[in-house]
Amino acid sequence: SSRPGAYSSSFYNTQGRKYDLDSGVTTMSIDLFVGSDWGSTGRRMAGFWGTAFDGRNNIGGYPILEFTSDGGVGRFRAWDVDTGNWLDLGLPTGFGYGQWYTLGISLSGGMATYTVGDLSLSVNAATSVSLSNVILQGYNTQAGVSYDIYWDNLTSPVPAPGALALLGMAGLAGSRRRRA
């Protein structure tokens, strides 16, 4: 089947699995195994995507952290949710193919922060304040290139119960005042 015209660029030539997160999540992480054959493919390999929402529950951007060897150089890169450009992070200290790496994305103070090992990059998150879901993405197989992607230990801490209780009481107190 063919894709709608709006999704015909190579950026969208991907597939994956989407997992919904609890309300109010601002950070998520996952372990990715970078296979020994990934350095020579010359393509996007695996991406850790999020859907970020603003305070009005509208989509605020798509923070993405992925491994690629596009251009013949293996590296991690992040999607700048503000400008819509890829930003190279490079490789963490001690990088080697055939190893696991923890990828992290967090939203705080108007910034999206990406981490891989000792690498860290923060970009403007525009209006994004929370993460609604995670997409574990792989580049579609083409030109005879076939590979496996291994993910493990997806974490997305939920806000502390006390913080949720305080938010609930503030909302309840506000509604009582309006009725009075």
Side-chain angles (χ1 to χ4, degrees), residues 19-31 48-49 103-106 130-134 152-160:
Y19 300 94
D20 292 329
L21 303 174
D22 290 327
S23 179
V25 168
T26 59
T27 188
M28 59 186 188
S29 67
I30 195 162
D31 294 339
F48 181 45
W49 299 39
L103 286 60
I105 298 173
S106 63
S130 66
L131 298 160
S132 175
N133 58 59
V134 59
D152 200 7
N153 300 320
L154 174 63
T155 60
S156 57
V158 295

Side-chain angles (χ1 to χ4, degrees), residues 8-48:
S8 62
S9 77
S10 63
F11 180 86
Y12 292 101
N13 194 16
T14 63
Q15 60 188 4
R17 299 258 187 218
K18 175 181 151 288
Y19 300 94
D20 292 329
L21 303 174
D22 290 327
S23 179
V25 168
T26 59
T27 188
M28 59 186 188
S29 67
I30 195 162
D31 294 339
L32 170 65
F33 183 79
V34 178
S36 57
D37 57 337
W38 286 21
S40 60
T41 62
R43 64 186 346 213
R44 294 167 61 192
M45 299 305 292
F48 181 45

Side-chain angles (χ1 to χ4, degrees), residues 4 24 26 29 46 52 60 82 88 94 100 108 126 128 133 142 163 167 169 176:
T26 59
S29 67
D82 190 36
D88 282 336
W100 288 93
S108 180
S128 299
N133 58 59
Q142 293 181 349
L167 290 172
M169 286 191 285
R176 284 185 181 154

Side-chain angles (χ1 to χ4, degrees), residues 25-171:
V25 168
T26 59
T27 188
M28 59 186 188
S29 67
I30 195 162
D31 294 339
L32 170 65
F33 183 79
V34 178
S36 57
D37 57 337
W38 286 21
S40 60
T41 62
R43 64 186 346 213
R44 294 167 61 192
M45 299 305 292
F48 181 45
W49 299 39
T51 305
F53 281 79
D54 65 15
R56 294 180 179 203
N57 209 28
N58 296 313
I59 294 176
Y62 298 93
I64 304 169
L65 183 56
E66 72 175 21
F67 185 85
T68 183
S69 58
D70 197 19
V73 178
R75 67 202 179 280
F76 288 95
R77 65 182 184 177
W79 184 250
D80 187 333
V81 295
D82 190 36
T83 66
N85 294 303
W86 287 112
L87 303 172
D88 282 336
L89 273 80
L91 298 171
T93 302
F95 175 83
Y97 289 99
Q99 295 183 36
W100 288 93
Y101 295 91
T102 301
L103 286 60
I105 298 173
S106 63
L107 299 174
S108 180
M111 302 297 286
T113 301
Y114 301 100
T115 57
V116 179
D118 61 347
L119 303 175
S120 181
L121 173 70
S122 294
V123 298
N124 185 350
T127 60
S128 299
V129 296
S130 66
L131 298 160
S132 175
N133 58 59
V134 59
I135 301 166
L136 303 178
Q137 171 274 335
Y139 197 78
N140 290 339
T141 302
Q142 293 181 349
V145 176
S146 180
Y147 64 98
D148 295 318
I149 300 173
Y150 298 100
W151 301 99
D152 200 7
N153 300 320
L154 174 63
T155 60
S156 57
V158 295
L164 291 175
L166 289 175
L167 290 172
M169 286 191 285

